[in-house]
Amino acid sequence: MTTAGPGAGTLHDALVTRIGADIVQGRLPAGSRLVTGDLAEGSSRGAGREAVRVLEALGLVSVRRKAGVVVRPAADWNVFAPEIIEWRLGGPARGAQLRELSELRGGIEPLAARGAATSATAAQREELVAAVLEMARTEGAADEADYLAADVRFHRTLLAASGNSMFAALGDVVEAVLTGRTRHELMPHDANPHAVRWHQDVAFAIAAGRAEEAAQAMRLIVREAGDAMASAISDD
């Protein structure tokens, strides 16, 4: 915990965001040296030290005796951290980040859907159905908060219901890409009706215990999302 006094938390968060984005987006390349005392621009040394601790935990910097704070290469980053996903989505690596996330989801979520068909609890099955009904209700405003919340709720529940704790641990990653898609204006105002229906197909297949149907519908969801985001980027 920092001892920098009132307002330190806000300053610390702002520093982490500014420096983290500069590293991830290439403005501070690997090997760059940072001076802890200068990070907070004279406002708070305590906040600067706390920001360095967070950046170190994300794999973005290392603290070396005599060398000080040094930016680490991309191979060392915690690429599953939601912060790093968000910074990559906001920078020149957006296309690569979306491709990698789509490939990850394509490998994981159909398996999670298949597992959920046999492992989901009654409460999780009900939660999936409730989430897709909310998505259907708000599909005419798919780039707004209510649709996003329902979409996140669906995918988090799916991963948690998979029966695989490692899949469940990816909930933050999937939420980060769904949130980033909305924040970076890669989500259409009107949802693709096929995608909404496929979400419903997944939920009802899981509720009925039909594992392969759930997996197949999830493959369609992930493919559509990846194609739609790639198209949105190419139109920028």
Side-chain angles (χ1 to χ4, degrees):
M1 179 180 295
T2 181
T3 57
T10 300
L11 178 57
H12 145 261
D13 292 342
L15 284 171
V16 169
T17 298
R18 174 171 62 81
I19 300 165
D22 282 348
I23 293 171
V24 171
Q25 296 173 9
R27 292 183 291 276
L28 286 173
S32 298
R33 295 187 180 185
L34 309 178
V35 179
T36 307
D38 295 340
L39 296 179
E41 299 177 348
S43 300
S44 168
R45 283 182 173 270
R49 288 192 295 271
E50 181 62 23
V52 168
R53 284 194 285 269
V54 174
L55 294 168
E56 188 174 22
L58 292 171
L60 297 178
V61 303
S62 59
V63 181
R64 304 174 186 169
R65 183 171 297 183
K66 296 183 180 180
V69 182
V70 180
V71 175
R72 296 170 69 174
D76 294 342
W77 300 349
N78 177 8
V79 294
F80 291 104
E83 298 91 338
I84 291 179
I85 292 172
E86 168 60 20
W87 295 329
R88 289 188 73 194
L89 287 173
R94 178 188 295 182
Q97 174 70 107
L98 288 172
R99 175 183 55 78
E100 291 172 8
L101 286 166
S102 293
E103 290 173 354
L104 176 68
R105 292 183 64 193
I108 297 301
E109 289 199 89
L111 293 177
R114 179 182 286 114
T118 56
S119 299
T121 65
Q124 287 169 332
R125 294 171 198 269
E126 291 174 5
E127 183 74 358
L128 287 169
V129 172
V132 297
L133 292 176
E134 179 65 8
M135 290 175 70
R137 186 187 71 81
T138 57
E139 64 181 305
D143 55 350
E144 297 183 10
D146 287 348
Y147 184 92
L148 173 62
D151 199 10
V152 168
R153 178 182 170 195
F154 172 86
H155 288 278
R156 274 193 169 278
T157 303
L158 175 79
L159 292 167
S162 67
N164 184 317
S165 61
M166 298 187 78
F167 290 175
L170 293 173
D172 286 347
V173 173
V174 174
E175 179 171 353
V177 69
L178 295 174
T179 301
R181 184 181 182 187
T182 297
R183 182 175 298 149
H184 294 288
E185 299 180 349
L186 301 175
M187 187 71 184
H189 182 69
D190 294 304
N192 183 328
H194 298 295
V196 175
R197 190 185 74 247
W198 293 329
H199 280 78
Q200 295 171 354
D201 290 345
V202 171
F204 288 112
I206 289 172
R210 298 193 296 268
E212 189 49 47
E213 282 186 36
Q216 180 57 32
M218 182 54 67
R219 291 187 194 99
L220 295 173
I221 290 170
V222 175
R223 186 179 305 135
E224 185 278 333
D227 290 346
M229 287 189 288
S231 177
I233 289 175
S234 68
D235 289 341
D236 283 350

